[in-house]
Amino acid sequence: MKGKTSIVMLTYNELHLTKKCIDSLKQHTRCDQYELIIVDNASTDGTKAYVRELEDIIFIENEVNQGFAKGCNQGVKKATGDSILFLNNDTMVTENWLSPLREALFASERIGMVGPVSNYVSGPQMVQPSYTDVKDLPAFAKEYTAARKGQRTYVHRLVGFCLLVKRELIEDVGLFDERFVYGSFEDDDLCLRSLLKGYQLQIVHDSFVHHHGHATFHAHQETNISTFFAENRLRFLNKWGIDLNLMTPHPYFAALLPRKAASVLDVGCGAGATGLELINRQPVDMYGVEPDSLKATIAKAYYQEVKEVKVDEYPWSEKEAFFDAVIFSDVLEHVSDPWQIIAQAHNSLKPGGVIICCLPNMMHAEVLLPLMTGDFTYRDVGILDRTHMRFFTPKTMRALFPDHLFDRVIEQQINVQIDQTVQLFFDEVARVGESLGFQTKALSDQVTLYQLLIVARKKGGTPSR
């Protein structure tokens, strides 16, 4: 059935929502575009009798509730389409919803799954609708999607309420992991396994699907949503040791990167969240350095190249005058010789290229006040992170970028306010120091400076903008 999509829908009671969903499918989807596979998980409200009366469907009846993952897998095994669409029964599709999803999915061999935007979903697929009554849904969806024709966003995670997947991805990556039982995190798991195989994921902004949200959970009187979520999250973390929800870009780097930067090295790239934000913003080839194998492999789904090495093992000489920008995200404090790393990065930059880095300030009161009482205790996080090898003040941060090699074009402070009594103490220390001839005037400001963002431009050439 080439060119058709197999829609797999699970039902567990909530007949009134199932009817609305199927009615919307019939209204907004050509019959030659899809086949419908319904898997019922032992409904008791008349759902099974209703589905049996429907024409041109494949119906699987479970005598007991098999859960979301297993039920979906049952449906996939009956599917004959070139793509599989997992669709919750508490959704309502809208005009021209499926075609943009298919267009996005088959636009590239590397794209493995796509999802629409919705009124009720976690993450960046969520949009704020103007309607409060579903009778206004068609008009909203038509206007919203028309204004975003062809808009796509690459992501690390898509939500399974409406998820279109290539058949070949299922054959390559596998079905939903049935350890996740009644729902939640089985979609995160499938996304992660897909990324690790090199597939890319996209949000399709010109496809809108209304979602009531958690209808199956509400239909199961004994179901505690929070308990299931917590249990499945723990299963996911035990399996992977990583949470896709926590893979977020650096909050400042994208805004600081020149718009014309076409080749960027992301040192300490993690799973590539910062690079992904840049890829969605501008045409750019991302390169990465990340010693964690799992994170590096995730980043490779979108980056041109990721070296699974520590920063001081990166082959800088292979990329001489190659990059428009080099990003150091929480890296330089973790190496023994950051000065050498900066020198090597300088050589890898094109003339006019920039280094963007973020460094913690050990002059912050969090460190300085305990130090004045003889306490310099390492911690799991923060400025005194026990993995930090080098410590910086604003003066020594600037010294990393010598004037004969760089122009420091941007300095942006990230401040963390301190207790008023502590602030008054350091104000007084600064005043007394000045009266005795010491250069302590800046101390009052430095004790609230937590991190300093620096953009330094390599001298020579035309700067990117």
Side-chain angles (χ1 to χ4, degrees):
M1 191 180 284
K2 188 172 178 59
K4 283 194 176 183
T5 295
S6 299
I7 300 176
V8 176
M9 181 188 302
L10 265 64
T11 57
Y12 178 73
N13 296 326
E14 298 296 319
L15 174 58
H16 65 293
L17 293 178
T18 300
K19 287 181 176 179
K20 289 180 180 179
C21 181
I22 293 176
D23 287 347
S24 72
L25 278 174
K26 291 179 177 179
Q27 181 181 355
H28 297 299
T29 321
R30 295 197 325 266
C31 61
D32 63 340
Q33 283 186 303
Y34 74 100
E35 65 177 1
L36 179 58
I37 303 166
I38 297 180
V39 182
D40 185 78
N41 268 333
S43 293
T44 58
D45 67 344
T47 295
K48 290 188 284 188
Y50 163 75
V51 175
R52 291 191 196 106
E53 295 298 318
L54 297 174
E55 297 180 355
D56 299 323
I57 68 157
I58 299 169
F59 187 32
I60 300 171
E61 297 184 59
N62 290 323
E63 294 184 2
V64 296
N65 191 339
Q66 299 290 346
F68 184 83
K70 187 170 184 177
C72 285
N73 291 344
Q74 288 177 292
V76 171
K77 292 172 184 177
K78 296 289 185 180
T80 59
D82 61 357
S83 57
I84 316 294
L85 187 130
F86 302 102
L87 184 67
N88 283 14
N89 69 320
D90 62 344
T91 59
M92 294 173 64
V93 302
T94 61
E95 183 180 348
N96 193 40
W97 71 286
L98 183 56
S99 294
L101 291 172
R102 285 187 57 89
E103 289 169 9
L105 186 68
F106 291 102
S108 166
E109 290 184 359
R110 296 200 64 185
I111 297 174
M113 61 176 73
V114 299
V117 293
S118 180
N119 62 300
Y120 189 93
V121 62
S122 63
Q125 289 175 264
M126 170 76 174
V127 300
Q128 194 63 46
S130 60
Y131 65 91
T132 56
D133 192 309
V134 291
K135 67 178 173 48
D136 299 318
L137 168 62
F140 168 81
K142 186 173 183 177
E143 181 181 358
Y144 183 91
T145 57
R148 292 159 180 80
K149 183 73 174 175
Q151 288 187 16
R152 311 285 184 257
T153 300
Y154 289 106
V155 290
H156 282 128
R157 173 181 178 266
L158 292 166
V159 182
F161 82 103
C162 179
L163 183 64
L164 183 63
V165 184
K166 282 179 180 170
R167 169 177 286 279
E168 64 188 62
L169 182 147
I170 296 292
E171 293 170 349
D172 184 18
V173 174
L175 299 167
F176 283 124
D177 187 337
E178 295 178 8
R179 79 181 68 187
F180 295 104
V181 200
Y182 288 111
S184 72
F185 287 93
E186 73 290 316
D187 45 2
D188 292 53
D189 178 78
L190 184 63
C191 289
L192 182 49
R193 285 187 282 136
S194 300
L195 291 167
L196 293 173
K197 285 279 191 173
Y199 292 100
Q200 297 176 340
L201 287 56
Q202 274 191 347
I203 298 173
V204 179
H205 293 274
D206 51 354
S207 176
F208 184 90
V209 174
H210 176 81
H211 187 206
H212 291 282
H214 296 309
T216 302
F217 285 115
H218 296 315
H220 198 309
Q221 298 299 316
E222 297 178 357
T223 295
N224 184 306
I225 298 174
S226 298
T227 298
F228 276 140
F229 182 88
E231 289 176 351
N232 279 345
R233 183 175 186 272
L234 183 59
R235 291 184 181 104
F236 186 90
L237 292 175
N238 287 339
K239 180 177 180 179
W240 294 109
I242 191 172
D243 189 340
L244 290 182
N245 292 288
L246 299 181
M247 294 191 326
T248 56
H250 192 284
Y252 303 102
F253 283 174
L256 296 173
L257 185 81
R259 287 277 179 173
K260 292 185 178 180
S263 181
V264 176
L265 178 64
D266 185 1
V267 184
C269 68
T274 296
L276 200 54
E277 182 178 30
L278 298 173
I279 290 167
N280 286 321
R281 192 189 75 169
Q282 67 192 67
V284 61
D285 290 334
M286 293 298 306
Y287 296 78
V289 183
E290 175 54 51
D292 184 294
S293 179
L294 177 64
K295 293 178 181 178
T297 305
I298 296 171
K300 288 176 184 178
Y302 295 104
Y303 283 40
Q304 297 293 313
E305 174 188 86
V306 180
K307 295 287 189 181
E308 295 181 31
V309 297
K310 295 179 179 179
V311 60
D312 49 11
E313 298 170 350
Y314 183 74
W316 295 95
S317 60
E318 296 178 6
K319 293 289 195 282
E320 187 172 347
F322 184 85
F323 298 112
D324 296 299
V326 177
I327 296 171
F328 290 101
S329 179
D330 301 322
V331 169
L332 295 174
E333 63 270 33
H334 292 272
V335 297
S336 61
D337 193 348
W339 305 274
Q340 177 66 17
I341 298 298
I342 292 296
Q344 292 173 316
H346 173 271
N347 292 335
S348 77
L349 286 172
K350 299 174 184 176
V354 298
I355 289 177
I356 305 173
C357 71
C358 183
L359 291 163
N361 172 37
M362 74 165 297
M363 294 287 288
H364 189 273
E366 174 186 294
V367 177
L368 194 55
L369 184 61
L371 181 61
M372 293 175 71
T373 63
D375 184 4
F376 196 79
T377 303
Y378 288 98
R379 296 177 174 85
D380 293 330
V381 294
I383 299 172
L384 290 181
D385 185 319
R386 64 183 74 255
T387 65
H388 287 181
M389 299 179 69
R390 294 293 180 181
F391 298 90
F392 300 94
T393 67
K395 182 176 181 180
T396 59
M397 293 179 202
R398 298 179 183 111
L400 285 169
F401 305 96
D403 292 340
H404 68 285
L405 296 178
F406 294 98
D407 292 316
R408 292 191 305 278
V409 293
I410 296 176
E411 286 189 5
Q412 184 172 322
Q413 295 186 355
I414 301 172
N415 293 309
V416 174
Q417 297 305 311
I418 59 179
D419 181 82
Q420 186 177 9
T421 303
V422 176
Q423 183 69 64
L424 289 172
F425 169 73
F426 281 111
D427 290 346
E428 186 64 14
V429 172
R431 186 191 65 78
V432 173
E434 281 288 306
S435 69
L436 295 174
F438 297 106
Q439 296 180 3
T440 55
K441 185 177 181 179
L443 181 62
S444 293
D445 294 328
Q446 289 179 342
V447 292
T448 60
L449 174 63
Y450 203 82
Q451 291 175 305
L452 185 65
L453 282 159
I454 295 177
V455 180
R457 180 185 297 135
K458 181 177 180 176
K459 289 190 171 180
T462 303
S464 300
R465 295 189 183 275

